[in-house]
Amino acid sequence: MLAAQRRDLLMERLKTDGRIVAKDLAAELGVSEDSIRRDLRELADAGLCQRVYGGALPVSPATADYATRMAVSVAGKERIAKRAAALIRLGSTVILDGGTTALALAKALPADLEATIVTHSPTVAAALVTHPKVEVFLIGGRLFKHSAVTCGAAAAEAAEGINADLFFLGVTGVHPETGLTTGDSDEAAMKRTLAKRAADTYVLASSEKIGAASPFTVLPLSDVAGVITDAAPDEPTVQELGKLGVSVLGVSPSWPAREAAASDA
């Protein structure tokens, strides 16, 4: 098999299996592990996969620029936003991450909601201007333009004074092996800082992020109260998350009502 044919096969396996184990595929094809690893390096360099120890995982589409991501999974993000908004109680203090799903959540909040919202996203803060009973605190710092959020030492220091009930976390990858990941190390560190300031953290994960991975770990799955997603209940990664004891709050129409209710238990 030619190298180009191997790489096509690798991409097909990532699509169908959701992962590649270099050792197993090398044995199947009768080639060396070095050959498979070399193929994976080339695919990773082209942005087509995320290399991990022993193989590779699908790369997250959520690494695209902010404007592009605004048009991805719009209906799914709106369903996730509606479900997340229902978790916010009267008078609570909530930290809202940045990104397009967090922006959808800000827009989904009831007009008469009384709450305090803390965010490091100028776009999220701006979306809350029309909510008269929401007190908004905007964390300042260096602007990371990919997600339109502030990061860095100044932002982290400001976050240390927050004590919140909930944190709605945005990530670019949710995977049983790599946990919750994103594409920038500073942004990952800021997300960890914010998670430490809330009693419960919920992940906002539209379907394209489920089963994908990015270079930098944010949190292990065991550190969050739940994952809110529009992925189908029979999606392989969703099934694996359930086996790991992760609470999955499904918002896809294909989730039976009783399963959606059970996921909240």
Side-chain angles (χ1 to χ4, degrees):
M1 181 180 289
L2 299 175
Q5 293 175 309
R6 279 203 314 272
R7 288 191 287 272
D8 288 342
L9 177 61
L10 291 173
M11 291 304 300
E12 182 62 28
R13 290 296 175 86
L14 276 174
K15 182 178 179 181
T16 58
D17 298 344
R19 60 176 296 183
I20 288 172
V21 179
K23 180 180 179 181
D24 294 347
L25 192 58
E28 178 185 334
L29 300 180
V31 299
S32 68
E33 283 189 56
D34 284 342
S35 294
I36 298 297
R37 291 194 184 101
R38 184 165 56 250
D39 292 338
L40 292 177
R41 279 197 298 270
E42 292 178 5
L43 291 175
D45 289 343
L48 298 174
C49 75
Q50 175 61 50
R51 294 182 68 209
V52 294
Y53 180 77
L57 298 174
V59 70
S60 174
T63 55
D65 63 83
Y66 193 88
T68 299
R69 300 199 317 276
M70 285 293 294
V72 175
S73 300
V74 175
K77 290 174 182 177
E78 289 175 350
R79 289 195 295 271
I80 291 169
K82 183 178 179 181
R83 182 65 184 86
L87 296 173
I88 300 176
R89 302 298 177 223
L90 178 69
S92 60
T93 297
V94 178
I95 303 173
L96 259 186
D97 203 349
T100 56
T101 313
L103 180 59
L105 172 51
K107 293 177 178 179
L109 295 179
D112 60 348
L113 175 67
E114 293 184 31
T116 298
I117 305 293
V118 181
T119 183
H120 62 141
S121 168
T123 56
V124 168
L128 295 169
V129 168
T130 56
H131 286 68
K133 297 181 181 180
V134 171
E135 191 77 24
V136 182
F137 287 86
L138 178 60
I139 298 172
R142 179 182 65 84
L143 185 65
F144 178 54
K145 295 181 181 179
H146 177 268
S147 299
V149 294
T150 58
C151 296
E157 184 177 358
E160 290 295 337
I162 301 166
N163 292 292
D165 301 291
L166 297 173
F167 172 39
F168 290 105
L169 166 67
V171 295
T172 57
V174 179
H175 195 281
E177 294 180 20
T178 56
L180 306 168
T181 55
T182 194
D184 180 82
S185 59
D186 286 345
E187 187 181 20
M190 186 63 189
K191 290 175 186 291
R192 283 194 296 275
T193 298
L194 293 172
K196 292 176 182 177
R197 309 312 308 169
D200 289 310
T201 294
Y202 286 89
V203 183
L204 308 174
S206 46
S207 57
E208 77 277 6
K209 300 165 187 175
I210 300 295
S214 292
F216 299 99
T217 298
V218 177
L219 292 170
L221 288 161
S222 57
D223 281 7
V224 300
V227 176
I228 309 175
T229 183
D230 63 323
D234 59 353
E235 201 280 334
T237 298
V238 171
Q239 294 286 312
E240 287 192 55
L241 293 177
K243 292 176 183 177
L244 291 173
V246 178
S247 176
V248 180
L249 283 64
V251 300
S252 167
S254 60
W255 280 80
R258 64 179 182 277
E259 290 188 29
S263 71
D264 292 346

